[in-house]
Amino acid sequence: MKLDSVLISDAVDPACVQLLRENGIQVTHKTKMPLQELLEEIKKHDGLIVRSDTKVNRQVLDNAPKLKVIGRAGTGVDNIDLDAATEKGVVVMNTPGGNSISACELTCALISSLARHVSPASSALKNGAWERKSYTGTELYGKTLAVLGLGRIGREVATRMQAFGMKTIGFDPIISSQAAREFNVEKMELEQIWPLADYITVHTPLIPQTRNLINFDVLNKCKKGIYIVNVARGGIVDEEGLLKSLESGQCGGAALDVFTEEPPKSEGLLRLLAHPKVLATPHLGASTTEAQQRVAVEIAEQFVALTKGASLFGVVNCPALATAVQVNNKPWIDLAQALGSFGPSSNCTVTVQTLGQGMERLTSHLCPAVLIGLLAKKGTNLVNAPALATAAKVQIRSEHLPGGKEQALVVSFSDGRRVQGSVVEGVPCIQAVDDACFGPKGVELSGNLLMMEGANDLAKFVQAVINNGAKILRLTAAQGGAGCVAVHTEGLMDGSISGGKLLGQFQL
């Protein structure tokens, strides 16, 4: 991917700007822009890097005709309209591990502070009160900590709090019980967790399934005096329900670093912050010198990797992209796109099959590439192909058939067409079209390639190609089928060819 110019619209560490410029990418760094200025500025750039201040909504994306990639220097991407970005083929990336340690350490500090009433005791002493009995706390040793979300941050929190002698239980819809046991967490279902936990800390993204995950009804299922910690995303904890539970005494205290409104202004939220059993910080999870530099460098490295076709990580809305940019996978992506072009561009069902050892890792990632070829629509890429296919009433399914060492890709269409290809010595090749077979080595997808069927009179077909002004470099006739022919020419032909039906024209 070519990136000429990148806009950085939020404050990031200078290392980000430096690294991008060292790799030949022009950078414009403007922060705190009014919306209208942002809408004008974004038109000039291929890339955008943000933290959490800039809201990349559909309006912004509609005004960004050149935009190819958005980088979030941090973990959460809820300030980016992922659906709109995906529809427009814009890659969204984040730095999932860059602030993990900082967020983890703040979580651990807040848990300890809740247990020992550090914040109110400090405030009281500064105001001249020496009230030791009023701030008697409890030990963490022997208490049960429930970690909701066992990703990078959740794991780090569990490991550190185990050093305090806490028992750690947790929930994650993806992590297996066996994987959780590897870092000494007993995985449970949520309904099992509520009555067991002394402390609950959340480390999940804010999605429909996690919004208001901790609410008044849930808190009533917990032990009396339950402590809640949220250093993840505002909205995971129902703030109104939490305040109600604090006021009733069911919840013993809460430590909050994130809120549904930042900065908090609404009356209800301000009442929650003012509650004496609430410890609140202004979204400091990633606010360490180390984390700020780490995420800035990581997002710059990802942008550079994108331009160089190197290994990628942190791609949020296009899993296939990280696979596609790997050098050894590119021929398979090119092949998938070519095979897809043999099908109808709408109202069909496509079946993608991979065959042979090692191909199972590519099966799902080749589907978007097949769709690019099938849709044959300008602006279609690996990011937006699935969404555009849905709009075109194209259904796609995939499967892997183990078999032997011979690797192949087979694409079948509901109109009966079936095409097969492979990568031979690093070059994508088309091996068969329906019953027409070009042999195990196939026809190379290189240079200018024209494929026809119904070319039963080869002499007439060759003359038609010559009359079109093209010089034939290589002609391969298939065995079987209805006169299927593949022709490599010195240049692309600009007119129709008589003597057969066009199957496809490729230029690689």
Side-chain angles (χ1 to χ4, degrees), residues 355-392:
L355 291 73
Q357 294 178 8
M359 287 297 288
E360 61 274 9
R361 66 188 174 81
L362 289 177
T363 309
S364 61
H365 299 313
L366 292 176
C367 291
V370 169
L371 292 174
I372 293 173
L374 182 140
L375 295 169
K377 183 178 180 181
K378 186 178 180 181
T380 305
N381 59 26
L382 292 171
V383 180
N384 61 9
L388 293 176
T390 300

Side-chain angles (χ1 to χ4, degrees), residues 75-243:
T75 303
V77 291
D78 41 298
N79 58 318
I80 300 169
D81 189 330
L82 285 179
D83 290 338
T86 302
E87 287 170 19
K88 294 179 178 297
V90 177
V91 180
V92 178
M93 309 173 79
N94 69 351
T95 55
N99 58 15
S100 295
I101 297 300
S102 293
C104 159
E105 289 181 352
L106 178 60
T107 302
C108 296
L110 293 176
I111 292 172
S112 299
S113 296
L114 282 175
R116 300 305 298 270
H117 309 298
V118 172
S119 180
S122 175
S123 296
L125 182 57
K126 288 182 177 183
N127 288 326
W130 184 267
E131 300 177 358
R132 297 176 64 193
K133 288 185 179 180
S134 300
Y135 299 110
T136 301
T138 57
E139 292 183 350
L140 294 174
Y141 182 83
K143 302 299 188 300
T144 298
L145 172 66
V147 182
L148 308 186
L150 299 172
R152 290 178 178 86
I153 300 172
R155 294 184 190 198
E156 296 287 355
V157 169
T159 301
R160 282 159 177 74
M161 297 318 294
Q162 287 160 13
F164 281 80
M166 297 191 83
K167 177 183 178 181
T168 49
I169 60 178
F171 170 79
D172 192 295
I174 298 173
I175 300 295
S176 68
S177 297
Q178 182 179 350
R181 282 195 295 270
E182 291 176 5
F183 48 96
N184 298 316
V185 172
E186 183 180 356
K187 182 182 176 181
M188 295 181 174
E189 295 303 315
L190 292 172
E191 292 301 320
Q192 295 174 293
I193 285 175
W194 306 140
L196 298 178
D198 297 299
Y199 292 79
I200 296 175
T201 178
V202 294
H203 300 285
T204 70
L206 179 63
I207 55 178
Q209 295 89 336
T210 62
R211 185 174 292 278
N212 296 331
L213 178 65
I214 306 297
N215 53 54
F216 182 73
D217 291 336
V218 163
L219 291 168
N220 278 339
K221 296 176 183 178
C222 297
K223 290 181 181 179
K224 187 174 179 62
I226 182 71
Y227 289 99
I228 302 297
V229 179
N230 185 9
V231 184
R233 279 289 175 266
I236 298 173
V237 176
D238 175 16
E239 292 157 346
E240 183 180 349
L242 176 61
L243 177 58

